[in-house]
Amino acid sequence: MLNDRAEATAIHQCFAGQSPPLTAVKGVSGHLIGGSGALEALPGLLCADRGVVPAIANTLGSPEAELVDVVIGRRRAITRGPVLSNSFGFGGGRNACLVLMPPG
């Protein structure tokens, strides 16, 4: 829970309070520890290509929704284009963000 709050705060600050729509795959995959980043990049590429952000599975609400735009309940259409795939690890210093472009 503290990690979720730290991530939301970082995204909120990075985008000056204008968060892009956010989703997560952990609701269906569980946490894959070191493999999470690779798995999370795949839906990111699909979102970029198809212009849709899926709702977070098995989630009815989020306390972080006050800081960031969490996609809950139903998928959301977006403009086809680059997406950001964030991988924030346990503890400090194990973080990476990838900007992914749709093919073509």
Side-chain angles (χ1 to χ4, degrees):
M1 297 296 172
L2 292 177
N3 283 348
D4 291 345
R5 192 61 171 189
E7 292 171 22
T9 299
I11 292 166
H12 175 76
Q13 290 176 358
C14 179
F15 289 96
Q18 300 297 310
S19 167
L22 304 176
T23 192
V25 299
K26 278 192 263 181
V28 293
S29 70
H31 200 303
L32 302 175
I33 310 300
S36 296
L39 176 71
E40 292 164 358
L42 295 174
L45 284 171
L46 289 172
C47 291
D49 185 48
R50 296 180 181 173
V52 65
V53 178
I56 299 173
N58 305 314
T59 301
L60 300 175
S62 171
E64 285 71 35
E66 67 189 42
L67 293 173
V68 292
D69 183 8
V70 182
V71 180
I72 296 173
R74 67 168 62 190
R75 67 184 183 180
R76 190 176 315 159
I78 58 169
T79 302
R80 186 176 182 272
V83 298
L84 185 63
S85 179
N86 299 317
S87 297
F88 300 128
F90 296 119
R94 293 174 192 87
N95 306 318
C97 297
L98 300 174
V99 176
L100 305 169
M101 296 291 293

